[in-house]
Amino acid sequence: MRTATHHPLITAPCNLWPGPRPTSSPVLPSGSRRPRRGALVVRAAVVVEQEAKTKISLVRIGTRGSPLALAQAYETRDKLMASHSELAEEGAIDIVIIKTTGDKVLDQPLADIGGKGLFTKEIDEALLEGRIDIAVHSMKDVPTYLPAGTILPCNLPREDVRDAFICLTVKSLAELPAGSVIGTASLRRQSQILYRYPSLKVVNFRGNVQTRLKKLNEGEVQATLLALAGLKRLNMTENVTAILSVEEMLPAIAQGAIGIACRSNDDKMATYIASLNHDDTRLAVACERAFLETLDGSCRTPIAGYAHRDSDGNCVLRCLVASPDGTRVLETSRKGLYALDDMVAMGKDAGKELLSKAGPGI
C-alpha cells in the first residue's frame, strides 16, 4: 500500500497521486514510460526551494554599524512596520550594515580626514547601486547637497538637541580645575568650551558612545560631551552628569534629527518613508541647513545653529560661527513665520551676515 511521502522542504504530506488513488495501475499510452516513483515530490520540492531563494525583503535599510546608528535604523523599521501592514510580516524589512570612511579612520580628527559625507558616502553609493532601498542617516552627518539620483523626503520627530556633560569627579564644566582635559571630536564643542573656559584643554576623542565612555572611565580624559539625543536613543542617560542648555552650548546643525533617503525614481519607497515625516522637524532642519549651506561649512569650521517653534508658533533661529581655539565667536538670531520659504530665507540671511563678519580668520 502506497503511503504519504515527506520531503524535508515540504511541511505537509504529499501523496504521489493527486486526487483519489486508483484501485489498479493506470493504463499508459503505448510507448509511454511510467513516471519514476517520487518524481512529483522532487519537482514540488524544487519549486519550494526556488521560491525560498528568490524571496527578498520588501525594504532594505542601509545604516552604519555603530550601536547608535543601529538604534536609529531599528526605530525607522518599527515605525514602518506600525504604519504599513505588509511591512509588519517577518522578513519584510532587512537591515544592511555599511562601513563608512568615518567608521574606518578612527585615529585622526574628522577635520584632518577632510571632505564631506564622511559618514554617508558609502551608504549613498549602496543606495544608488540598488544594494539598499532606503538610507537612515543622522542629519548632522548629511552634507548640504544630496547625491544626484537621491531624495530625502523624511525626518523623524527630533530628539532632545542639547549636549550632555559627563564627568566622574565634578558636576559641571565650571567646576573643572584649570588644565583639566575634555575629550570631544567636535570643533563646535571645542570652540564653545574654550570660549567660556580658556583654562581647560580639549583633545580629539573619536569613537562611538560606548568607546568614549570607556576611555573616560579609564582616565584618558577628565570629562566628555555627548549629544543627549544619542544617549536617550541608547537608553544610557544614567551616565549623564549635567545637561547643558542651548545657551551654554549651541547644538550642531540638525542635531537630534534622523533623515531617511531613497532613490529619486523609487516612488514606492518615497511613499513609505514620506508617511513617517514629522513636518516641524523637517522645517527646522531645512532652516538650519540653509544657514550651513550659505556658509559652505565643513567639519573644519565650528558652526552651530538651532531653529525651533516658540510659544507663539513662530520660528526662532540662533546661529554661531567660531574659531577652533574659541578666541572668536560670532552669533546672530532671526525670528519669523514657521513656514518653509520663510525659514529657509532666515537661514540664508543669517549665514550671509556671519559670513561677512567672519573674514579669513574663521
Side-chain angles (χ1 to χ4, degrees):
M1 179 177 179
R2 188 182 289 116
T3 58
T5 303
H6 292 270
H7 188 280
L9 291 179
I10 300 178
T11 56
C14 177
N15 291 312
L16 294 179
W17 295 103
R21 220 174 15 236
T23 55
S24 60
S25 299
V27 178
L28 299 176
S30 175
S32 299
R33 299 179 65 184
R34 185 183 302 277
R36 252 183 325 110
R37 183 184 296 271
L40 278 173
V41 176
V42 173
R43 283 197 293 272
V46 170
V47 170
V48 172
E49 191 172 32
Q50 287 175 341
E51 287 178 354
K53 286 182 177 179
T54 56
K55 185 178 180 181
I56 60 173
S57 302
L58 296 177
V59 179
R60 295 163 298 170
I61 299 176
T63 176
R64 295 169 57 206
S66 71
L68 177 56
L70 287 172
Q72 294 178 163
Y74 284 122
E75 180 179 341
T76 301
R77 181 202 63 180
D78 292 347
K79 288 180 181 294
L80 285 169
M81 292 173 66
S83 301
H84 304 278
S85 58
E86 69 273 24
L87 299 182
E89 297 180 11
E90 185 177 355
I93 300 178
D94 189 25
I95 292 179
V96 181
I97 295 174
I98 299 167
K99 204 161 191 176
T100 67
T101 302
D103 298 313
K104 296 172 186 175
V105 184
L106 295 174
D107 58 348
Q108 300 178 50
L110 292 174
D112 292 349
I113 301 173
K116 296 182 180 179
L118 293 174
F119 294 104
T120 60
K121 181 175 178 287
E122 287 80 1
I123 298 176
D124 290 333
E125 288 172 351
L127 182 61
L128 289 169
E129 292 168 6
R131 290 184 279 125
I132 59 174
D133 301 304
I134 64 175
V136 176
H137 298 299
S138 292
M139 281 303 301
K140 65 183 180 62
D141 295 332
V142 178
T144 51
Y145 64 89
L146 296 176
T150 70
I151 56 174
L152 204 157
C154 173
N155 289 127
L156 299 185
R158 195 174 197 174
E159 249 295 359
D160 200 313
V161 302
R162 295 173 295 174
D163 282 305
F165 172 71
I166 303 176
C167 182
L168 303 178
T169 57
V170 299
K171 295 181 179 180
S172 69
L173 275 168
E175 294 178 26
L176 283 171
S180 295
V181 179
I182 301 175
T184 177
S186 164
L187 289 180
R188 169 190 65 86
R189 292 183 182 121
Q190 173 181 306
S191 63
Q192 293 185 74
I193 291 170
L194 295 177
Y195 175 66
R196 290 179 173 82
Y197 308 102
S199 66
L200 300 178
K201 182 181 179 182
V202 181
V203 297
N204 182 56
F205 207 51
R206 295 285 312 282
N208 60 39
V209 172
Q210 289 80 357
T211 300
R212 297 186 201 190
L213 292 178
K214 182 174 181 288
K215 290 180 178 179
L216 175 65
N217 285 323
E218 292 173 350
E220 288 191 28
V221 295
Q222 279 72 61
T224 186
L225 269 65
L226 296 171
L228 184 58
L231 293 169
K232 285 188 172 183
R233 289 189 169 111
L234 290 169
N235 295 315
M236 295 178 65
T237 53
E238 72 277 4
N239 295 284
V240 174
T241 305
I243 297 173
L244 305 181
S245 69
V246 294
E247 287 73 31
E248 294 175 278
M249 182 65 62
L250 198 61
I253 302 299
Q255 184 159 308
I258 296 173
I260 310 175
C262 66
R263 289 180 292 277
S264 55
N265 61 356
D266 194 336
D267 293 339
K268 185 175 183 179
M269 293 301 138
T271 300
Y272 275 149
I273 60 180
S275 68
L276 307 183
N277 182 59
H278 185 257
D279 215 44
D280 262 22
T281 299
R282 182 180 69 89
L283 297 183
V285 167
C287 179
E288 294 167 19
R289 282 167 61 83
F291 166 68
L292 181 64
E293 183 180 20
T294 303
L295 290 171
D296 193 26
S298 71
C299 56
R300 290 183 176 276
T301 311
I303 296 173
Y306 176 45
H308 67 283
R309 189 190 290 272
D310 68 8
S311 58
D312 296 323
N314 293 314
C315 174
V316 175
L317 170 67
R318 287 190 58 216
C319 304
L320 175 152
V321 177
S323 60
D325 62 5
T327 55
R328 290 189 68 200
V329 173
L330 303 175
E331 297 183 68
T332 190
S333 62
R334 296 289 186 279
K335 186 174 181 177
L337 294 176
Y338 209 98
L340 180 62
D341 290 344
D342 295 83
M343 293 169 71
V344 168
M346 287 163 56
K348 289 181 176 180
D349 190 57
K352 289 175 182 176
E353 178 191 335
L354 294 189
L355 191 62
S356 66
K357 291 180 177 179
I362 294 181

